[in-house]
């Protein structure tokens, strides 16, 4: 019995212990979340946030496991809104008791799952990862005791899973991209000296500096033990377990942290193997296609080093040497080899000064079917004044390339390529327009080229292309081809191709393009469906981003352009591509039975996901129904158009943003304009039908409209329409108000109807309104014409119509009064300013005349102006001027009042 009680007690105790283990994370969850956020935001000059925290005592038992879900670190100030780090899950293993006490929380394990890191150095050399807040201690103060930090690293191991890292140095023109990165390390970080065992793999690695792509989509694996000396901040290593695609490397050296902004390094590397096939694996197109079965021969060398200090503008010295002799490769199932490959590449920098970099490619040669291709290149002083000595020559039958290199299934290539180019001299000669001091000559010609692949299933065809090189520019004298059903012909010039290639300057040029027909629905994939027949997922799509390195003018003409549901005929105009924007100038076309003229801009400079737009439209005599059906924006701005037939002209200015699907974000749109309805009919418009039924006036159901012009403005999803008048044979209407892009209405209409038009039901309604007014002490006499005030509310498809005298009279007058206030104020201001200017003119005239008369009398002169009254005459002249001014204003006011019934 005692044993049973003991076992029962143990069981209860275990259950209580398990309950406590389960409950502890939730009891202290809020404390841990608050402490983590406080610590991160206290030490970082960035916005740090995460979606949730997952806390468990079992996942890392006996440690406390804390995982931050969807952690994001975004920049502030200059890098406002830029995401430096985004991690799907950051998993930490903490000491439980230190977490509960909140003192020196010990971290034993760190795991990052799917981190996305974007490191950037801008044009001015500012890094976006410099987010650690500076020490606020004043000079001479004792340094902060780091032992007081609320976190202490007792790290034993860490891991990074499926990471994406991108590094862009805009100042140094360097680019690094790593995808599918997996890395883990194990070591005792509590020691000052220890060995860190690491394992690293990457699915894709690309690195380029300047215009030279050193690596492109290569696979990488590194196994290395790193000797860490925390006292000296030094990391030493030596390993021969590095592979880049098929190339094996051995490396040794060290990397040392001197201070927060200075690093010392001495790293050398080389390829132990001399097999050409290992170097060939660095060519992505070759490596991705049955590389293991390729026949090769030839010798190769690859080695280099990086040595010296990196501190601010100071860079370490470096060298890279690649050599290939008598290279040869052939796919076993292809008929011909690529042979006689000779290559020498030497990149040297003796002291780390960027301007002392020399790129020397004295020889690059290969042969395809006895057709040689040769290239040489020398670059010096790339920063101060780039010197270039380059040449390329070759003639290639593109239709035979598939006999040497494997293409993806469905890829076809044919045509002839002929190139013979030379360039030699300093870029400064071109910049100073001293073209005689720079040698550039040669041409590139393409004939009957046809290319088709899975990315271009419709194919790209270039029937002819001729580019002629001279010191001043590259002349495109002939460019004919066909793409997506468009036959085009172009000519023009590119003015700074070398500066674009070697100095990253914006490509400047001009091109005149003519085309027979352009289907923009195909070019932009508008409304395309997936192979399963489902609509394309636009959530993951992004708008077209205008490149930041273009300064190009395109003069375009097209016989027909198809965009969405609109056919634009005889389109012509100018497109300017510059400063990350496309500027449209004087774009004209015939469409929708009328003419269109568009000026404006589309820019992705401020926001790549939501481009800014700013357009001015001038359309004339468009068919109302066709316009409504063609444009979704018109359906929101002018919903009444679905009930109108006829012709309209309009001028409108609009600005706002586009969404990811390139459609306008309606809530962002603002603008104004005018609309002239030349002639037409309003039929089946629910508000008018409802009013017609109430008044028993069928003429309100089918209204003939002519020469109606109104002004409108829209903002925050709502369109305001200034009051406008509709004149019929037997009655008049004055309409004004607003409607929302959600189709809601708030309009006021004033009707002047002959009582003879009203049927029995209409007259009954009028008599009832008169009776209601008289009962409230408001004397109303209705003559032959009935004046009604109508409020139109609700939705355009389900309207509400109110003709109650109490509600309608007050609200109608108030609504129209509010809309007219601004215009009336403008007129009053004009009158006041006119009077002010006139009085000022009269005063000046009288004073000047008095001065002249007094001067003449003192000097004994005579009045030569013909005024017999002297000073008194000057006063009469002033009085006459003032009377004329007042008379003109009164006449203008009288004419305005008399014209109040006109549009």
């Amino acid at each position: 019995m005692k044993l049973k009680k003991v076992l029962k007690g143990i069981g209860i105790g275990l259950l209580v212990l398990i309950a406590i283990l389960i409950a502890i994370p939730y009891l202290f969850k809020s404390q841990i979340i608050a402490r983590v956020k406080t610590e991160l935001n206290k030490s970082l000059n960035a916005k740090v946030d995460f979606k949730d925290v997952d806390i468990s005592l079992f996942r890392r038992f006996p440690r406390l496991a804390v995982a931050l879900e969807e952690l994001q670190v975004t920049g502030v100030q200059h890098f406002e809104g830029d995401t430096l780090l985004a991690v799907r899950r950051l998993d930490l293993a903490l000491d439980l008791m230190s977490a509960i006490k909140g003192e020196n929380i010990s971290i034993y394990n760190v795991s990052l799952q799917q981190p996305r890191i974007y490191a950037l150095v801008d044009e001015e050399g500012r890094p976006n990862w410099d987010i650690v807040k500076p020490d606020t201690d004043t000079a001479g103060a004792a340094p902060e005791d780091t032992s007081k930090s609320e976190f202490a690293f007792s790290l034993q191991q860490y891991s990074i899973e499926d990471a994406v890292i991108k590094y862009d140095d805009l100042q140094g023109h360097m680019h690094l991209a790593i995808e599918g990165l997996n890395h883990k390390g194990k070591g005792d970080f509590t020691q000052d000296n220890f060995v860190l065992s690491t394992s690293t793999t990457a699915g894709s690695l690309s690195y380029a500096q300047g215009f030279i792509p050193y690596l492109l989509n290569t696979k990488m694996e590194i196994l290395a033990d790193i000797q860490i000396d925390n006292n000296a901040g030094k990391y030493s290593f030596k390993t021969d377990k590095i592979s880049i695609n098929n190339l094996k490397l051995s490396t040794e050296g060290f990397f040392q942290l001197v201070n927060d902004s200075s690093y010392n390094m001495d790293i050398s590397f080389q390829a132990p193997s001399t097999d050409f096939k290992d170097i060939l694996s660095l060519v992505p197109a070759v490596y991705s296609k049955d590389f293991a079965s390729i026949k090769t021969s030839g010798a190769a060398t690859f080695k280099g080093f990086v040595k010296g200090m990196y501190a601010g503008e100071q860079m370490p010295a470096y060298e890279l040497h690649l050599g290939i002799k008598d290279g040869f490769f052939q796919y076993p199932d292809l008929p011909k080899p690529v042979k006689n490959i000779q290559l020498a590449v030497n990149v040297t920098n003796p002291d780390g000064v960027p301007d002392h970099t020399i790129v020397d490619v004295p020889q690059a040669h290969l042969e395809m079917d006895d057709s040689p291709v040769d290239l040489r290149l020398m670059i010096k002083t790339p920063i101060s004044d780039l010197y270039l000595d380059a040449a390329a020559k070759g003639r290639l039958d593109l239709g035979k390339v598939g006999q040497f290199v494997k293409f993806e299934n469905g890829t076809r290539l044919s045509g002839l390529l002929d190139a013979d180019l030379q360039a030699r001299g300093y870029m400064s000669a071109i910049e100073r327009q001293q073209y005689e001091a720079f040698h550039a000559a040669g041409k590139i010609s393409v004939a009957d080229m046809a290319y088709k692949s899975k990315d271009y299933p419709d194919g790209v065809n270039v029937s002819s292309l001729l580019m002629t090189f001279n010191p001043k520019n590259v002349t495109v004298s002939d460019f004919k081809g066909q793409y997506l059903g468009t036959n085009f012909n172009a000519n023009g010039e590119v003015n700074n191709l070398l500066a674009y290639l070697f100095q990253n300057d914006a490509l400047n040029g001009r091109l005149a393009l003519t085309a027979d027909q352009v289907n923009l629905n195909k070019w932009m994939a508008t409304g395309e469906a997936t192979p399963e027949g489902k609509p394309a997922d636009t959530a993951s799509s992004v708008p077209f981003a205008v490149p930041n390195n273009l300064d190009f003018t395109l003069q375009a003409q097209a016989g027909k352009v198809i965009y969405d549901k609109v056919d634009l005929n005889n389109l012509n105009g100018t497109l300017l591509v510059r400063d990350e924007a496309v500027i449209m100038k004087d774009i004209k076309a015939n469409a929708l039975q009328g003419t269109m003229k568009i000026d404006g801009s589309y820019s992705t400079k401020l926001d790549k996901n939501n481009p800014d737009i700013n357009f001015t439209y001038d359309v004339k005599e468009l068919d109302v129904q066709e316009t409504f059906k063609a444009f979704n924006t018109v359906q929101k701005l002018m919903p009444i158009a679905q009930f109108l037939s006829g012709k309209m002209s309009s001028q409108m200015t609009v600005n706002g943003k586009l969404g990811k699907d390139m459609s306008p974000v309606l809530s962002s749109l603002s603008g104004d304009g005018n609309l002239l309805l030349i002639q037409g009919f309003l039929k089946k418009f629910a508000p008018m039908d409802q009013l017609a039924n109430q008044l028993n006036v069928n003429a309100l159901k089918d209204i003939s409209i002519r020469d109606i012009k109104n002004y409108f403005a829209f903002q925050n999803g709502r369109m305001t329409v200034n009051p406008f008048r509709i004149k019929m044979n037997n009655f008049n209407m004055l309409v004004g108000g607003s409607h929302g892009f959600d189709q809601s209405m708030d309009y006021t209409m004033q009707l002047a109807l002959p009582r003879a038009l009203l049927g029995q039901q209409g007259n009954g309604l009028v008599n009832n309104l008169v009776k209601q007014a008289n009962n409230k002490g408001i004397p109303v006499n209705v003559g032959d014409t009935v004046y009604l005030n109508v409020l139109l509310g609700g939705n355009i498809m389900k309207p509400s119509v109110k003709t109650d005298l109490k509600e309608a009279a007050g609200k109608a007058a108030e609504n129209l009064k509010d809309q007219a206030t601004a215009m009336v104020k403008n007129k009053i201001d004009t009158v006041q300013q006119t009077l002010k200017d006139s009085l000022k003119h009269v005063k000046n005239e009288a004073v000047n005349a008095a001065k002249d008369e007094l001067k003449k009398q003192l000097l004994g002169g005579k009045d030569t102006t013909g005024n017999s009254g002297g000073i008194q005459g000057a006063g009469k002249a002033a009085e006459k001027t003032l009377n004329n001014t007042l008379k003109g204003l009164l006449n203008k006011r009288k004419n305005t009042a008399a014209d109040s019934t006109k549009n």
Side-chain angles (χ1 to χ4, degrees):
M1 182 68 76
K2 288 184 178 180
L3 178 62
K4 186 175 181 181
K5 290 183 177 180
V6 170
L7 292 175
K8 183 177 180 181
I10 292 174
I12 293 173
L14 288 174
L15 289 175
V16 171
L17 178 61
I18 293 173
I20 292 174
L21 292 176
I22 294 173
I24 282 177
Y26 297 98
L27 293 175
F28 296 100
K29 180 176 181 178
S30 59
Q31 292 178 254
I32 294 173
I33 291 176
R35 194 166 296 278
V36 170
K37 285 192 175 184
T38 299
E39 186 72 17
L40 288 173
N41 284 286
K42 182 175 71 175
S43 58
L44 299 179
N45 187 26
K47 296 179 181 178
V48 183
D49 199 6
F50 45 87
K51 185 176 182 180
D52 196 10
V53 174
D54 179 17
I55 304 175
S56 172
L57 269 174
F58 297 99
R59 192 169 66 249
R60 301 280 186 180
F61 189 82
R63 312 294 185 193
L64 174 65
V66 179
L68 306 183
E69 304 284 355
E70 298 184 20
L71 171 67
Q72 280 197 336
V73 179
T74 55
V76 296
Q77 298 173 356
H78 180 70
F79 296 101
E80 179 74 31
D82 291 346
T83 300
L84 170 62
L85 173 66
V87 184
R88 188 182 70 83
R89 184 182 178 92
L90 171 60
D91 206 346
L92 307 174
L94 312 176
D95 178 74
L96 176 60
M97 293 309 298
S98 67
I100 293 175
K101 293 179 180 179
E103 299 177 355
N104 295 324
I105 301 177
S106 299
I107 302 177
Y108 293 96
N109 187 298
V110 177
S111 175
L112 278 79
Q113 298 177 13
Q114 295 184 0
R116 302 294 183 262
I117 302 171
Y118 180 42
L120 173 68
V121 178
D122 66 12
E123 293 87 347
E124 299 178 11
R126 292 174 294 194
N128 70 337
W129 64 83
D130 185 15
I131 60 174
V132 178
K133 291 183 178 179
D135 190 356
T136 56
D137 289 339
T138 59
E144 182 182 355
D145 184 3
T146 56
S147 65
K148 294 181 180 179
S149 172
E150 298 189 12
F151 287 90
F153 278 92
S154 301
L155 201 60
Q156 301 295 319
Q157 61 184 11
Y158 65 91
S159 63
I160 300 173
E161 302 174 19
D162 190 22
V164 174
I165 300 176
K166 293 186 178 180
Y167 169 74
D168 281 312
D169 186 342
L170 303 182
Q171 188 180 55
H173 306 298
M174 289 186 289
H175 172 76
L176 172 68
I178 306 174
E179 297 183 5
L181 174 68
N182 293 284
H183 173 78
K184 59 183 179 180
K186 187 174 183 181
D188 189 355
F189 283 81
T190 62
Q191 303 298 316
D192 290 333
N193 288 278
F194 67 98
V195 175
L196 176 65
S197 298
T198 65
S199 172
T200 306
T201 62
S204 174
L205 171 65
S206 299
Y207 174 73
Q209 183 171 4
F211 70 99
I212 303 175
Y214 293 96
L215 297 172
L216 183 63
N217 298 328
T218 57
K219 294 182 178 180
M220 179 186 68
E221 182 178 4
I222 302 175
L223 300 176
D225 290 339
I226 303 173
Q227 180 67 46
I228 296 180
D229 183 352
N230 281 322
N231 292 326
K234 190 174 182 179
Y235 307 85
S236 305
F237 51 86
K238 182 178 181 179
T239 182
D240 57 0
K241 296 180 180 180
I242 299 178
S243 62
I244 303 175
N245 283 351
N246 208 59
L247 177 65
K248 308 297 181 183
L249 291 176
S250 62
T251 182
E252 64 176 310
F254 71 86
F255 183 88
Q256 184 177 17
L257 302 176
V258 179
N259 53 49
D260 290 342
S261 59
S262 301
Y263 315 96
N264 188 25
M265 64 196 75
D266 187 354
I267 304 170
S268 62
F269 58 89
Q270 66 175 354
S273 170
T274 58
D275 192 342
F276 166 64
K277 186 174 184 178
D278 295 335
I279 298 295
L280 186 65
S281 71
L282 299 181
V283 181
V286 176
Y287 184 73
S288 62
K289 296 293 180 182
D290 302 329
F291 182 77
S293 62
I294 293 178
K295 301 176 182 178
T296 65
S297 65
T301 58
F302 182 66
K303 62 181 180 179
F305 70 82
V306 180
K307 183 178 182 179
M309 290 287 296
Y310 175 87
E313 296 182 359
Q314 182 180 355
M315 302 285 289
Y318 60 90
E319 288 188 7
L320 175 67
H321 302 282
L322 170 64
I324 299 173
K325 289 186 177 180
D326 303 324
F328 166 100
F329 74 90
Q330 182 179 10
Y331 287 93
D333 52 347
L334 292 182
K336 296 180 180 181
V338 177
K339 59 185 180 179
N340 197 14
I341 301 173
Q342 314 292 337
L343 177 65
V345 177
N346 301 292
V347 181
T348 62
N349 186 298
D351 52 13
V353 178
D355 200 38
H356 295 170
T357 303
I358 298 176
V359 179
D360 185 16
V361 184
Q363 182 185 34
H365 175 89
L366 61 82
E367 296 174 8
M368 289 195 231
D369 195 25
D370 298 324
S371 296
V373 176
D374 289 279
L375 180 140
R376 62 176 173 81
L377 174 67
M378 167 70 78
I379 294 177
K380 296 189 297 184
T381 58
I383 306 300
S384 61
D385 187 4
L386 184 141
Y387 174 82
L388 173 70
D389 186 359
K393 185 175 183 179
R395 182 179 175 86
L396 190 60
D397 184 347
L398 299 176
K400 294 182 179 181
V401 174
Q403 299 178 4
F404 308 96
V405 181
K406 278 195 168 182
F407 292 144
E408 292 185 353
N409 292 335
T411 300
R412 299 288 184 270
L413 179 64
S414 62
L416 293 174
L417 171 65
D418 191 1
D420 187 0
L421 305 172
Q422 308 92 38
R424 182 176 64 255
Y426 286 94
M427 288 295 298
S428 60
I430 297 178
E431 293 170 356
R432 294 193 300 264
Q433 298 184 3
Q434 297 174 349
Y435 302 117
E436 69 281 357
F438 191 94
H439 172 74
K443 66 176 183 178
I444 295 178
S445 66
V446 176
D448 301 323
M449 190 198 84
Y451 174 73
K452 181 180 289 187
S453 68
K454 68 176 184 179
D455 294 328
Y456 297 91
D458 293 323
V460 179
N461 298 286
V462 177
S463 57
S464 62
L465 170 62
L466 179 60
M467 302 174 64
T468 305
F469 291 73
N470 59 72
K472 183 178 180 181
N473 56 31
V474 179
T475 302
V476 183
S477 56
D478 181 28
F479 186 18
K480 297 178 182 177
Q482 188 269 344
Y483 177 61
L484 291 179
T486 299
N487 295 298
F488 61 86
N489 189 344
N491 62 77
E493 59 189 28
V494 179
N495 298 320
N496 63 334
L497 182 61
L498 294 177
Y500 169 75
L501 292 175
F502 298 110
Q503 295 182 330
N504 202 35
D505 288 357
L507 185 65
N508 176 271
R510 175 195 61 81
L511 197 66
L513 174 69
T514 60
D516 58 350
Q517 176 174 298
V518 181
N519 189 339
L520 288 180
N521 295 332
K522 289 184 177 181
W523 285 65
M524 301 174 64
T526 302
E528 294 289 336
T530 60
E532 293 80 9
K534 299 178 181 179
D537 181 14
T538 59
S540 59
S541 63
V542 293
F544 163 69
V546 184
N548 64 353
N549 57 349
L550 289 181
D551 185 0
F552 224 81
T553 301
L554 179 66
Q555 183 70 42
Q557 292 184 341
K560 184 177 183 179
V561 176
I562 302 171
Y563 175 62
D564 202 7
K565 304 172 185 177
V566 183
D567 291 348
L568 305 171
N569 297 304
N570 300 321
L571 183 143
N572 65 84
T574 303
L575 299 179
L576 305 179
V577 183
R578 62 178 58 155
D579 197 24
E580 299 184 63
V582 177
I583 302 170
M584 305 174 192
K585 297 183 65 176
D586 204 23
I587 305 294
K588 297 178 181 179
N590 300 325
L592 305 171
Q593 302 184 31
T595 62
M596 304 177 67
K597 180 179 179 295
I598 302 173
D599 292 273
S601 65
Y602 165 95
S603 174
T604 54
K605 184 175 183 178
L606 299 179
D607 193 337
K608 301 295 186 293
N609 292 322
N610 295 105
D612 294 286
I613 58 171
N614 192 328
F615 290 100
T616 298
Y617 302 88
D618 187 352
V619 299
K620 297 184 183 302
E621 299 189 17
L622 300 190
D623 182 83
V624 177
Q625 279 294 301
E626 290 186 18
T627 304
F628 178 84
K629 294 175 182 177
F631 298 107
N632 292 332
T633 307
V634 174
Q635 296 172 16
K636 300 297 183 181
L637 293 177
M638 188 180 170
I640 195 175
Q642 62 184 305
F643 309 103
L644 280 171
S645 62
K647 297 280 189 175
M648 72 171 185
S649 296
S650 179
Q651 294 174 325
M652 180 175 70
T653 297
V654 58
N655 59 74
K657 288 184 173 293
L658 299 182
K660 288 186 176 182
D661 60 352
M662 298 290 285
S663 296
V665 178
L666 295 176
S667 60
S668 73
L669 297 183
S670 63
D672 54 30
N674 62 72
L675 184 142
L676 171 63
L677 188 63
I678 303 170
Q679 58 182 8
F681 292 90
L682 179 65
K683 297 180 179 180
K684 299 181 179 179
F685 184 42
M688 297 305 298
D689 287 352
Q690 187 172 335
L691 181 63
N693 292 332
Q694 287 184 9
L695 299 175
N696 196 19
V697 178
N698 289 328
L700 292 174
K701 294 184 177 181
D702 189 352
I703 300 176
S704 176
I705 303 173
R706 185 177 183 86
D707 296 336
I708 293 180
K709 188 172 185 177
N710 67 352
Y711 297 87
F712 57 84
F714 51 93
Q715 191 175 16
N716 299 325
R718 196 153 194 90
M719 167 85 80
T720 301
V721 180
N722 280 357
F724 62 95
R725 191 173 297 278
I726 301 175
K727 298 175 63 177
M728 307 295 293
N729 291 332
N730 298 320
F731 60 89
N732 293 327
M733 290 188 292
L734 181 65
V735 184
S738 67
H739 63 265
F741 295 164
D742 59 357
Q743 309 294 291
S744 62
M745 290 193 310
D746 184 11
Y747 277 91
T748 300
M749 181 168 59
Q750 296 180 346
L751 278 173
L753 286 170
R755 191 153 188 175
L757 288 180
L758 300 177
Q760 182 178 358
Q761 180 179 343
N763 276 290
L765 174 63
V766 171
N767 293 332
N768 185 45
L769 293 175
V770 172
K771 182 178 179 181
Q772 292 180 33
N774 290 330
N775 289 339
K776 295 180 179 181
I778 303 174
V780 176
N781 295 318
V782 179
D784 294 336
T785 300
V786 178
Y787 298 93
L788 289 177
N789 295 283
V790 182
L791 296 180
L792 303 180
N795 185 280
I796 196 167
M797 302 304 295
K798 295 181 179 179
S800 64
V801 179
K802 296 182 179 179
T803 55
D804 180 76
L805 184 61
K806 179 180 179 181
E807 291 183 2
K811 291 185 179 179
E814 183 179 350
N815 287 347
L816 291 181
K817 178 181 178 182
D818 289 343
Q819 293 183 55
T821 298
M823 292 185 290
V824 172
K825 184 179 183 301
N826 290 337
K827 292 180 180 180
I828 292 174
D829 290 344
T830 301
V831 172
Q832 291 176 343
Q833 186 62 41
T834 303
L835 282 170
K836 183 178 179 181
D837 292 342
S838 298
L839 290 172
K840 183 177 179 181
H841 174 73
V842 168
K843 179 181 177 181
N844 291 337
E845 185 176 297
V847 171
N848 291 334
K851 286 182 179 180
D852 291 341
E853 184 63 26
L854 182 60
K855 180 179 178 181
K856 291 172 186 176
Q857 292 180 6
L858 290 173
L859 296 177
K862 296 182 180 180
D863 182 11
T864 57
T865 63
N867 293 328
S868 60
I871 296 177
Q872 185 179 359
K876 292 183 178 180
E879 182 182 357
K880 181 179 180 182
T881 301
L882 182 58
N883 288 335
N884 289 338
T885 301
L886 292 174
K887 183 178 179 181
L889 288 172
L890 292 173
N891 287 338
K892 183 177 181 181
R893 184 176 179 182
K894 181 179 179 181
N895 293 335
T896 303
D899 193 42
S900 61
T901 59
K902 298 181 180 180
N903 291 332

